[in-house]
Amino acid sequence: MPGTSRGQQTMTSSTLRERVQATMKSEDTEGAFELYVTRTPGYLWALLFRKLHVHPITVTLLSIVIGALAGYFFYWNDLTMNVIGMFFLVWANWYDCADGQLARMTGQKTLIGRILDGFAGDVWFFSIYFFICLRLTFETAPWGQPWGVWIWLVAAWSGLHCHAKQCALADYYRNIHLYFLKGETGSELDTYAQQRALMRSLPWNRKEWFHKIYLYFYSNYTRGQERQTPSFQIFYAEMQRCFPDGVPQEWKERFRAASLPLMKYTNILTFDTRVIVLFTSLLAGMPWLFFIFEIGVLEPLRFYTRHVHESFCQRFTKDLKNG
């Protein structure tokens, strides 16, 4: 940049990096990939949208449309079309990141925005699964016959069972980690009992009906997370019984030390690694490999991550009970 010294450029770059880091939940749960590939482009989009007075919900809706459109381009057995779809999916993910950053910048946080933000990824991947299945139905499978109904069955197991449970568990473990790292205000560690009680407390009227329906589905989501983690539920209850005034610093540090090595696996179980494998399978002309990866690689990783987390929760529970 003319007229700008190297030192000034470094300071400007550092300032941008610090601003982006301030939008991240923690360096424990988000690494360099998220910082440079997702958060920084999302932050720059958020700055532009703020300047243009675009509402965060509009950004979320754009991300839903763009992400769903990406799936259509994966229908074609054509590399150029597939690359366009990849670009659309990355673009949608930038907007998905930008909407939250924009909401925090402008204070325009709404319930419908939170719902749509959580809904966006489901729409993207439904479109991706649907169009890949349409593409492969009449294509030849590795055994020499058309895939037919089998690709739909594989995709259904991959998406409705494996993908759903993997992302739910990873999201839960991240929020548990943030709870011990930053406390209640720094995480979204909600419980089924709390959310269902809140739902039942709301009346069926014009003002609250939408919130009530949302809480019904969200509480079911949290119940699914709790059912995957029975040992943590026992530990969490024992922790609250032993320390009603808050978790001592010693236990925060102890839990973080045990949980931190698993954060890299929760990152693999969510968006970034999944999409890298999706893109690789499309570039190779074998999009069915994406489903095999979710079933054959990510599912065992979910079991391993859950086993390790449950094991140290059991150990911590015994320590609490033994004083």
Side-chain angles (χ1 to χ4, degrees):
M1 184 180 295
T4 302
S5 69
R6 184 182 299 272
Q8 288 174 319
Q9 290 178 353
T10 301
M11 183 176 65
T12 302
S13 175
S14 176
T15 301
L16 174 62
R17 188 173 186 272
E18 290 172 356
R19 289 176 181 174
V20 175
Q21 283 181 316
T23 70
M24 299 173 69
K25 292 180 178 179
S26 80
E27 293 185 3
D28 282 6
T29 56
E30 295 179 274
F33 187 92
E34 287 82 3
L35 174 62
Y36 294 109
V37 178
T38 302
R39 291 289 184 178
T40 298
Y43 180 76
L44 295 175
W45 277 110
L47 291 177
L48 176 62
F49 289 133
R50 182 177 66 174
K51 186 174 182 179
L52 297 175
H53 304 289
V54 178
H55 196 281
I57 290 179
T58 303
V59 180
T60 305
L61 291 173
L62 286 171
S63 80
I64 291 173
V65 172
I66 295 170
L69 187 60
Y72 168 76
F73 285 94
F74 298 152
Y75 165 74
W76 303 95
N77 190 2
D78 179 89
L79 186 58
T80 300
M81 296 290 278
N82 293 169
V83 171
I84 293 172
M86 296 175 198
F87 170 74
F88 275 120
L89 188 57
V90 172
W91 187 9
N93 192 44
W94 287 342
Y95 277 16
D96 185 57
C97 184
D99 60 9
Q101 292 171 317
L102 180 63
R104 289 187 288 273
M105 287 178 185
T106 60
Q108 295 174 304
K109 298 179 181 180
T110 62
L111 173 63
I112 191 171
R114 181 182 178 186
I115 294 171
L116 288 174
D117 187 54
F119 182 61
D122 295 335
V123 174
W124 302 349
F125 279 97
F126 176 83
S127 174
I128 290 167
Y129 282 57
F130 178 78
F131 282 108
I132 287 179
C133 286
L134 278 183
R135 167 179 171 173
L136 293 178
T137 298
F138 300 105
E139 289 190 9
T140 302
W143 56 84
Q145 298 293 327
W147 278 97
V149 71
W150 289 107
I151 192 61
W152 294 91
L153 295 175
V154 170
W157 180 256
S158 174
L160 298 177
H161 176 79
C162 299
H163 184 135
K165 287 196 170 186
Q166 291 157 13
C167 290
L169 188 70
D171 176 58
Y172 196 50
Y173 281 164
R174 282 180 171 184
N175 279 314
I176 291 171
H177 189 87
L178 289 170
Y179 172 79
F180 282 91
L181 183 67
K182 295 186 172 183
E184 292 184 8
T185 58
S187 72
E188 296 176 356
L189 186 59
D190 297 319
T191 68
Y192 168 75
Q194 291 171 342
Q195 298 304 306
R196 186 51 63 98
L198 178 58
M199 183 208 75
R200 288 171 176 161
S201 70
L202 296 178
W204 284 107
N205 58 31
R206 185 177 299 178
K207 183 179 179 181
E208 300 290 358
W209 70 270
F210 186 77
H211 192 186
K212 193 175 181 77
I213 292 175
Y214 161 73
L215 287 172
Y216 172 78
F217 288 104
Y218 181 62
S219 62
N220 286 341
Y221 174 74
T222 59
R223 178 168 59 180
Q225 291 176 317
E226 291 172 359
R227 285 177 172 174
Q228 288 198 70
T229 56
S231 295
F232 171 74
Q233 304 310 317
I234 296 171
F235 165 70
Y236 187 47
E238 188 67 18
M239 177 71 69
Q240 291 178 313
R241 185 189 69 82
C242 293
F243 309 113
D245 297 326
V247 181
Q249 186 62 32
E250 176 189 354
W251 271 99
K252 289 180 181 180
E253 294 174 358
R254 187 177 178 186
F255 191 93
R256 178 179 179 269
S259 174
L260 184 58
L262 297 181
M263 291 302 101
K264 60 180 176 290
Y265 300 133
T266 65
N267 291 335
I268 293 172
L269 288 171
T270 50
F271 183 82
D272 298 331
T273 302
R274 196 181 304 271
V275 169
I276 290 171
V277 173
L278 170 65
F279 290 176
T280 302
S281 68
L282 288 162
L283 291 172
M286 297 183 288
W288 52 269
L289 284 175
F290 171 63
F291 303 141
I292 301 303
F293 176 76
E294 288 194 316
I295 296 170
V297 178
L298 293 187
E299 192 63 359
L301 182 61
R302 176 177 75 89
F303 278 104
Y304 172 76
T305 304
R306 178 180 176 274
H307 169 73
V308 174
H309 200 280
E310 290 284 278
S311 294
F312 70 68
C313 284
Q314 291 172 8
R315 186 172 68 251
F316 289 167
T317 301
K318 290 180 181 178
D319 292 345
L320 284 173
K321 290 182 177 179
N322 293 333

